[in-house]
Structure formats: structure tokens, C-alpha cells
Amino acid sequence: QVPLVESGGGLVQAGGSLRLSCSSSGLIFRIRVMAWYRQAPGNERELVAGITNGGRTTYADSAKGRFTISRDHRKNMMYLQMNDLKPEDTGTYYCSGGETVQGDYWGQGTQVTVSS
């Protein structure tokens, strides 16, 4: 496992932007798949976006066209650029890593709140 730490969450108005970061003390290029998940109160954790160590990406339908996932192996960082945020994007965002997009290990999460 590789320790993962999320940052960049906060309170933003609808239509605004945030960039989430996931940092690691390990070498993330060794992590085959990294992903961002979101969990809203009362809901199950859901996939937002995933990216392989080769750069192939996948997005939830709700994220397509608004969010961009990326990873920087030199900095051992993964990012989620979120634009045109909506109240329904509110939740705790988790960074994950593992052999598949389902994730084998997780960070502690960062809270995103979008006000209408």
C-alpha cells in the first residue's frame, strides 16, 4: 500500500471551481489505477473518475465535460479539476489506488460543499 492524502476541498458556490489533490509519499507510477470517489451523506461511495498509470481515464456521466483527472508521476500527485460545480457534487471526496478502479487503499477524504 501507498499512503494517500487528499487536499483542496472547501466551500464553493454553484458554478465555481475547485482542484483536489492527492499526494503520496510513495512512487505513484507503481499504482496501476488511481481514482476519485465521492460519498454524499446517506449515499454509497461512487466513482467520479479514474486514471491508469498509462494515462487512460474514465469518468462518471455526471463528471464528463466538467471534471478532469490527471496524475503527475514526478510529483507523486493526482488531481481532480472540477469546474461548473453543482450542489449535487457535494460530498466527501476520496482518493484511491490499486490494481483496479475499485481501489485497494484509500485516503482520509476531503470535504467539498457546493452552495446553490
Side-chain angles (χ1 to χ4, degrees):
Q1 292 192 1
V2 178
L4 302 172
V5 179
E6 303 93 337
S7 62
L11 174 64
V12 64
Q13 289 187 333
S17 298
L18 282 174
R19 188 176 82 155
L20 305 183
S21 298
C22 175
S23 64
S24 173
S25 59
L27 299 175
I28 68 166
F29 76 88
R30 295 178 177 175
I31 304 175
R32 185 175 180 277
V33 184
M34 299 185 73
W36 287 99
Y37 277 75
R38 172 176 68 211
Q39 186 167 22
N43 291 354
E44 293 186 355
R45 195 173 295 187
E46 61 179 356
L47 175 69
V48 176
I51 184 168
T52 69
N53 54 6
R56 188 161 57 181
T57 59
T58 186
Y59 293 93
D61 287 343
S62 61
K64 289 178 182 177
R66 298 188 300 126
F67 295 1
T68 302
I69 189 171
S70 62
R71 54 197 284 180
D72 186 332
H73 293 166
R74 291 176 300 172
K75 296 181 179 179
N76 288 316
M77 297 287 290
M78 181 180 66
Y79 304 101
L80 184 68
Q81 177 66 44
M82 304 187 294
N83 298 326
D84 189 24
L85 283 160
K86 303 176 181 181
E88 51 264 41
D89 295 318
T90 293
T92 302
Y93 283 70
Y94 297 91
C95 168
S96 75
E99 290 301 305
T100 71
V101 76
Q102 279 72 33
D104 298 314
Y105 40 90
W106 303 79
Q108 297 290 328
T110 185
Q111 178 66 34
V112 172
T113 303
V114 184
S115 63
S116 58

